[in-house]
Amino acid sequence: MSDYHFDTLTIHAGQEPDPTTGAIMPPIYQTSTYVQPAPAEHKGYEYSRTDNPTRTALQDCFAALEGAKYGLAFASGMATTDTILRLLKPGDHVVVGNDVYGGTYRLFERVYARYGLHFSWVDLTDLDAVKAAFTPQTRLLWLETPTNPYLALADIEALAQLAPDGVIVAVDNTFASPALQQPLKLGAHIVMHSATKYLGGHSDVVGGILATNDAELYEQLKFLQNAVGAVPAPLDCFLVLRGIKTLSVRMERHCENAMKIARFLEDHPAVKRVYYPGLESHPQHELAKRQMRAFGGMVSIILENEAVAKLMVTRTKLFSLAESLGGVESLIEHPYSMTHASTADSDIAVNPALVRLSVGIEHVEDLMADLQQALTD
Ligand code: P1T
């Protein structure tokens, strides 16, 4: 199966027609348990927290997309991050990028700091700063690339090489999706996603997922998945699997639309700055061309001030004001007061004049007209 191209894997990996009925889609195995012929004898499934066939299909499909041997699915992106953090013990140190999803900051500093983990928030575009941040206690390097919401890039290959032995390199690949970059191939040990976003793709499911090629890490994470129990429901696994089937074609349109919108906004007098890796003005455009197959569907802009930003997000009609991203429909939001409110008083607070766009797959001219009217006095 792994010899097939990515677009073929999105549709077929991990999925065989049902042997009894021929059903082309994996059934939603809505069952909590499995009848056994004898104690400790079973057909690979004994209890649905531990394993479920619909989840297995999703995990195998996703692993193929990331070029991985193993996949593990969770109830949300945060449950995935949480499970990875549980690989660590009190006293361990984590080097993490200084621009991440607000919920990641909250989990690290407001939950795990209480359990004795220490975090250094570092500019991942500065390799010397990253190098200087490692201590003998560092066990994890956490990269988000492109970052949420500034769309900065971390050079996965360079950072994976820089990380001392014994440091797990984990990449949150939510913004790119495996259609645009495959971090394990660049030296990362774990890749994770909020499956709520591009993988699901239709704003109808919350989920998370990770992949690895490291058998030992997989065994530890699989143990934690079962021991902690933040697993996805079979229906949710089905929805993500179905979403993944169109990942390639959706990403093509997301990227094409976002590129046009980024250029349109760059020329707009009301916009002070545009962050989009596909623009020549992006400080890491060269890295983006090397590391990513295309530049993604997320665009962030800086407006005159917070009031103007908050006004704009209430004036769009096609872009819906909502948290989240990666669905077929376009969304707009104000990170400072919404997705990143948990960082507001911290060193990694985002600019209150920043507006984030998740560019959907509608007709781009309708999207541009909507932004134009929202930016006009
Ligand atoms: O929402 P959840 O499925 O738990 O995923 C958390 C998460 C993890 N990583 C990144 C990069 C994310 O963007 C998110 C969730 N982000 C939003 C809800 C948002 O609007 O930014």
Side-chain angles (χ1 to χ4, degrees):
M1 185 57 82
S2 58
D3 292 344
Y4 287 119
H5 292 89
F6 184 86
D7 299 8
T8 307
L9 293 175
T10 59
I11 294 162
H12 294 285
Q15 296 155 78
E16 294 292 336
D18 183 53
T20 41
T21 64
I24 196 156
M25 272 304 284
I28 301 163
Y29 283 92
Q30 192 68 44
T31 187
S32 61
T33 194
Y34 307 82
V35 177
Q36 303 184 189
E41 248 182 61
H42 56 79
K43 298 174 177 149
Y45 296 94
E46 49 185 334
Y47 186 59
S48 276
R49 172 165 32 76
T50 317
D51 285 296
N52 175 281
T54 319
R55 195 199 318 159
T56 304
L58 169 61
Q59 292 175 163
D60 290 352
C61 177
F62 171 72
L65 300 189
E66 289 285 6
K69 289 197 191 118
Y70 313 105
L72 290 170
F74 296 86
S76 67
M78 291 322 303
T80 316
T81 306
D82 175 78
T83 304
I84 296 169
L85 271 268
R86 286 172 194 267
L87 293 167
L88 310 188
K89 58 180 193 327
D92 285 348
H93 173 251
V94 179
V95 176
V96 48
N98 62 2
D99 183 34
V100 292
Y101 169 53
T104 303
Y105 176 81
R106 182 175 54 205
L107 179 69
F108 286 13
E109 288 293 356
R110 300 206 23 217
V111 180
Y112 275 102
R114 288 198 281 120
Y115 291 89
L117 295 189
H118 304 285
F119 301 91
S120 294
W121 300 86
V122 184
D123 177 358
L124 295 178
T125 67
D126 181 346
L127 294 184
D128 291 334
V130 178
K131 207 170 184 174
F134 290 118
T135 74
Q137 284 73 43
T138 309
R139 283 277 291 132
L140 177 66
L141 170 61
W142 186 271
L143 317 176
E144 208 178 275
T145 182
T147 62
N148 182 358
Y150 279 101
L151 300 162
L153 264 59
D155 186 333
I156 300 169
E157 195 166 24
L159 288 161
Q161 275 172 18
L162 203 77
D165 284 351
V167 172
I168 300 164
V169 179
V171 177
D172 182 335
N173 202 22
T174 301
F175 268 37
S177 93
L180 305 188
Q181 78 192 4
Q182 291 155 310
L184 300 181
K185 293 188 178 160
L186 300 172
H189 303 110
I190 300 172
V191 58
M192 66 77 58
H193 291 255
S194 166
T196 318
K197 313 299 189 290
Y198 290 105
L199 295 177
H202 295 77
S203 308
D204 54 8
V205 62
V206 170
I209 197 154
L210 67 78
T212 183
N213 275 316
D214 185 313
E216 208 178 305
L217 273 178
Y218 169 72
E219 286 308 328
Q220 291 173 35
L221 289 161
K222 170 77 187 147
F223 166 81
L224 288 166
Q225 182 197 40
N226 180 51
V228 178
V231 292
L235 173 62
D236 292 354
C237 294
F238 175 90
L239 287 172
V240 177
L241 255 182
R242 186 176 65 168
I244 284 175
K245 285 183 192 286
T246 55
L247 179 66
S248 288
V249 286
R250 281 188 286 110
M251 288 315 290
E252 268 176 38
R253 178 66 85 84
H254 281 297
C255 294
E256 197 184 303
N257 280 358
M259 188 75 229
K260 287 182 183 155
I261 283 174
R263 288 205 193 288
F264 162 75
L265 291 168
E266 204 168 36
D267 288 339
H268 200 289
V271 178
K272 290 177 73 176
R273 178 148 186 203
V274 181
Y275 297 95
Y276 185 65
L279 291 175
E280 292 76 14
S281 61
H282 189 283
Q284 293 152 295
H285 181 57
E286 289 308 313
L287 171 60
K289 284 200 282 189
R290 207 166 6 102
Q291 183 162 277
M292 302 176 74
R293 248 168 257 134
F295 306 111
M298 301 299 294
V299 180
S300 289
I301 56 176
I302 303 286
L303 297 178
E304 192 58 37
N305 55 41
E306 179 174 2
V308 173
K310 280 182 155 165
L311 183 64
M312 182 200 177
V313 299
T314 58
R315 289 177 69 171
T316 50
K317 297 190 173 87
L318 263 181
F319 280 85
S320 300
L321 175 57
E323 304 204 354
S324 204
L325 58 116
V328 290
E329 58 287 286
S330 294
L331 302 180
I332 190 165
E333 66 120 5
H334 182 241
Y336 182 78
S337 63
M338 294 172 65
T339 50
H340 290 68
S342 60
T343 67
D345 298 322
S346 77
D347 292 344
I348 71 161
V350 299
N351 187 337
L354 187 135
V355 166
R356 192 189 74 182
L357 307 173
S358 172
V359 179
I361 65 170
E362 300 94 336
H363 199 290
V364 72
E365 283 171 21
D366 295 334
L367 295 177
M368 286 197 284
D370 190 32
L371 295 173
Q372 176 64 32
Q373 67 78 26
L375 286 167
T376 307
D377 287 334

